Amino acid sequence: MQGDQSRYDAIVVGSGIGGLVSGGYLAADGRRVLVLEQHDVAGGNAHVFRRRRKYEFDVGTHYLGDCGPDGLIPAILSGLGVRDRVRFRPMDNAGGFDRIMTPTATVDVPAGWEPYRHRLKQAVPEEADRIDRFIDLAVAVATASRAGLLGEPMVELFRKSPQTMRWSRRTLGQALDHCGLSAKGRTLVAAQAGNYGAMPDGIGFAEHVNIMDHYLRGAYYPEGGGQALVAALVEALEAYGGELRTRCAVRRILIDGGRATGVELADGQRISAPLVISNADYRRTVLDLCGGAAAFPADLVARTRDAVMRSAVVAVYVALDTELPGLPNANIWWHDSDDMEGAHAAVQERYERDGTMESVPQLAFSFASIKDAGSPAVCPPGHSNFQIMTGCPPGYAFWGLEGGPVDGEPYRRNPAYLARKRQLTETILDTAEKVLGPFRDRITHVETATPLTNERYIRASGGTPYGMATWGGAGQRPDVRTGIEGLYVVGQNVRYGSGVGGVATGGVAAASQILGRPLLAEVYAGTVLGDASRLPERAPDWDPLAVSRGQARQRAKGLARIG
């Protein structure tokens, strides 16, 4: 086995937003940081892919919240000196950044809790008092959660409002029950469940309201797509002395005497560091990279092995040679029933009974060519670029498989897999035309990503982008600090939640633990750790996808380009 005498102060395994943020802050503090990524480009669920030299599709960056002048995401970027390198385009925050559609109601969700309250009450006026009860409770929990995030001690929050803090430990379903909302009212309140991949009984009330609060502070889309955000973080990392290596897979996280000592790469090379931050999937971190019971207590290993993942997603990427008329600058959350939970349960029951999924009860639409209108990478002028997403049953059996790509399953040409993929793609497109009107004869490109695709590229357990649903108990998730000295975890499985905002916050939290300072509160107040004068100048042909490969591979072959 080849040795390597190179030493780093910290190694980050995986280059999703959480890993890049934590690595960037450590580098800005003067630490020598190495970020390792098995894929061709950094970004995890925030990366993009290109097709036909015309279209660029975002994998997971559909919209961001809280990107206004006092927003948390701009504050996190500002702390690294890259706030001015990412521009956020506002969606229709007054008219509605999310459009909820059911058979009997349409709700355009605007920025602000009070305008949101008003729109809900307009849709179900007979439940106005129940809506008021729910929104009052949601605002109280969201306010307390944000105060805690910015440094107010939890004991003080409990002292001020014990009843509010108790609700932070209950599910969204329990809150909906408490407020007495009907099936239709529950559906309208929980319609954007695709932001976290769970039905109301499977998501914490605090997580739901914090995600809603995130978007109700204003919804935005990064100009140039998710890769522009990733590239800015890579520029910060490298400018402050850090290093990004792509196409560099980690085989093991090395642990000796109860502390992390470095990593072993897939080629056998070992690299030493007293700190390791894993942005890899949490289950794979504990069970595979760290060796399970050889490193962790037996109860934690059992809890991790038994963890239930959140919903897996099928995404259909569509390009048209025409524009779609009459659409707002908003996502569309379409439901075929006023009873979202009942429709979801019926589909699950049908699949368990006869193995079929002949219809989809919900669809989510994201229109990049509207959110980033005029961007030369998204699509040519006059064309459309959008995604259609829905959930699917968990596990490999639904796809006619016994294992996944991490296990070495050659799934991509498996006839059963291909047949299921074709059938589900056709069902999704058929259903989408009921919402948008006919568009199939104008398609110039269409492809479908399944949970197997997600597992292949980011090695997520269950192929889900949302992380764990249960980890020993509903709503429980690990903190960024582990029981192993020098080992931290970030990403969509930690307690700060999924989505760009959640994983970025978790990345700051890990850096805060390591540096022993309240970074999130500091950067929100204006502290800047990074020196923007060290950042590279951007050439006229600056390409965020090339930057996201790391300096050593920016000009390597195989990079798809637009034009």
Side-chain angles (χ1 to χ4, degrees), residues 60 224 304 320 531:
T304 302
L320 310 178
D531 178 4

Side-chain angles (χ1 to χ4, degrees), residues 259-321:
R259 66 167 299 122
T261 60
V263 300
E264 179 181 306
L265 305 183
D267 64 3
Q269 180 184 9
R270 292 190 172 197
I271 307 175
S272 299
L275 286 170
V276 177
I277 301 171
S278 180
N279 191 191
D281 175 84
Y282 183 80
R283 294 181 81 249
R284 298 195 192 283
T285 297
V286 171
L287 302 177
D288 301 331
L289 295 178
C290 293
F296 291 95
D299 63 334
L300 185 143
V301 172
R303 194 185 338 162
T304 302
R305 184 177 291 113
D306 295 339
V308 177
M309 307 309 293
R310 288 190 181 165
S311 174
V313 175
V314 176
V316 180
Y317 300 90
V318 182
L320 310 178
D321 64 2

Side-chain angles (χ1 to χ4, degrees), residues 79-268:
L80 291 172
V82 294
R83 181 171 185 159
D84 294 339
R85 294 198 161 214
V86 184
R87 297 184 182 90
F88 297 102
R89 291 188 163 192
M91 295 171 65
D92 190 352
N93 288 313
F97 56 81
D98 275 339
R99 172 166 288 178
I100 299 166
M101 301 175 66
T102 77
T104 65
T106 296
V107 176
D108 289 320
V109 178
W113 280 102
E114 290 310 309
Y116 175 50
R117 182 201 302 263
H118 178 67
R119 297 276 174 91
L120 288 173
K121 289 164 73 171
Q122 282 183 316
V124 281
E126 67 279 10
E127 300 187 58
D129 59 332
R130 302 170 208 171
I131 294 293
D132 280 333
R133 194 178 309 146
F134 181 86
I135 296 296
D136 289 345
L137 192 59
V139 170
V141 171
T143 300
S145 295
R146 192 173 181 87
L149 200 60
L150 293 175
E152 188 165 349
M154 293 301 292
V155 64
E156 183 64 20
L157 292 171
F158 268 101
R159 187 191 66 79
K160 288 180 179 179
S161 184
Q163 183 61 28
T164 295
M165 297 309 293
R166 288 191 193 101
W167 273 105
S168 69
R169 297 177 177 176
R170 297 173 184 170
T171 68
L172 172 60
Q174 289 172 317
L176 295 170
D177 292 341
H178 171 76
C179 296
L181 286 159
S182 68
K184 180 177 178 179
R186 294 168 71 98
T187 296
L188 295 178
V189 166
Q192 297 115 302
N195 279 325
Y196 44 71
M199 288 289 108
D201 286 338
I203 189 74
F205 179 56
E207 185 170 355
H208 170 83
V209 300
N210 289 339
I211 288 174
M212 287 304 302
D213 185 66
H214 175 72
Y215 291 115
L216 290 171
R217 290 174 181 272
Y220 300 80
Y221 188 78
E223 187 174 303
Q227 204 71 52
L229 176 61
V230 172
L233 294 172
V234 171
E235 287 177 326
L237 170 78
E238 294 179 336
Y240 306 142
E243 179 184 351
L244 167 66
R245 295 187 198 174
T246 52
R247 285 199 179 278
C248 190
V250 172
R251 177 188 294 162
R252 282 197 301 154
I253 294 173
L254 303 175
I255 298 170
D256 185 16
R259 66 167 299 122
T261 60
V263 300
E264 179 181 306
L265 305 183
D267 64 3

